[in-house]
Amino acid sequence: MAEERTFIAIKPDGVQRGLIGDIIKRFEQKGFKLVGMKFTQASEELLKEHYIDLKARPFYEGLCKYMHSGPVCAMVWEGLNVVKTGRVMLGETNPADSKPGTIRGDFCIQVGRNICHGSDSVDSANKEIALWFKPEELVSWKSCAGSWIYE
Ligand code: UDP
Ligand code: MG
């Protein structure tokens, strides 16, 4: 169970606003383990595939354009229930509904500039990780803090 992985990305607005460190810090201090990271300007093809489930939505084109407008910090984080807990840490899709203490609740205002992405299920996490990372780009490693984080 502690090997569950999720895909977290800091979107172009999060990068431009200098929030990479703040967002990574929250996952690190929680106790989750970073197993993959790349700073990249994603292709439109990749982004269209990443958001394929939203293809019929009116904001789909604008969303892909926004995500392609600059670099993103794409990451894979590992830990117990990291998919669900990661979503809680991000906050609601619309920052206006996100509680203070969540990333979106603390750092942004509008849904179309909500600074971060997180997989919404284990199944979509696995798909997204495979889309953004080659297997050899993910690092399996043992944290010396592991036995102080898990009982
Ligand atoms: N989005 C938007 N307008 C909307 C709903 C969503 O611009 O009305 C964007 C927003 O950036 C969101 C992304 O589309 O993060 C993906 O939407 P989803 O419903 O999957 O939300 P998420 O999983 O990111 O919370
Ligand atoms: Mg989503």
Side-chain angles (χ1 to χ4, degrees):
M1 271 302 275
E3 272 86 61
E4 185 174 297
R5 289 176 171 182
T6 193
F7 176 71
I8 300 289
I10 302 165
K11 296 177 175 182
D13 46 346
V15 172
Q16 294 287 353
R17 293 179 53 205
L19 297 173
I20 293 176
D22 288 291
I23 294 170
I24 290 178
K25 182 169 180 56
R26 290 183 180 217
F27 282 85
E28 261 189 331
Q29 70 187 10
K30 177 75 176 165
F32 290 133
K33 189 165 69 175
L34 184 64
V35 295
M37 176 158 68
K38 66 170 78 165
F39 186 66
T40 178
Q41 184 155 7
S43 70
E44 284 176 273
E45 295 71 41
L46 186 151
L47 293 163
K48 285 184 170 160
E49 180 60 28
H50 175 79
Y51 282 124
I52 194 74
D53 293 349
L54 301 172
K55 198 172 170 38
R57 307 296 292 276
F59 56 84
Y60 176 73
E61 290 295 329
L63 171 62
C64 293
K65 210 172 146 208
Y66 148 61
M67 288 294 289
H68 179 65
S69 66
V72 301
C73 182
M75 298 174 282
V76 179
W77 287 88
E78 186 179 283
L80 183 66
N81 291 325
V82 67
V83 172
K84 186 163 176 276
T85 304
R87 291 282 291 190
V88 173
M89 289 166 65
L90 258 53
E92 300 299 319
T93 301
N94 188 341
D97 301 326
S98 300
K99 292 200 170 58
T102 66
I103 293 166
R104 287 166 174 167
D106 287 348
F107 294 126
C108 55
I109 294 172
Q110 283 195 305
V111 68
R113 295 292 182 271
N114 63 1
I115 73 167
C116 52
H117 167 84
S119 309
D120 64 6
S121 67
V122 171
D123 195 44
S124 50
N126 291 335
K127 277 190 207 145
E128 290 171 1
I129 291 166
L131 181 66
W132 286 80
F133 289 88
K134 299 186 187 115
E136 63 268 27
E137 290 173 331
L138 301 175
V139 184
S140 292
W141 60 288
K142 193 168 154 52
S143 165
C144 65
S147 62
W148 299 103
I149 294 168
Y150 296 102
E151 57 184 346

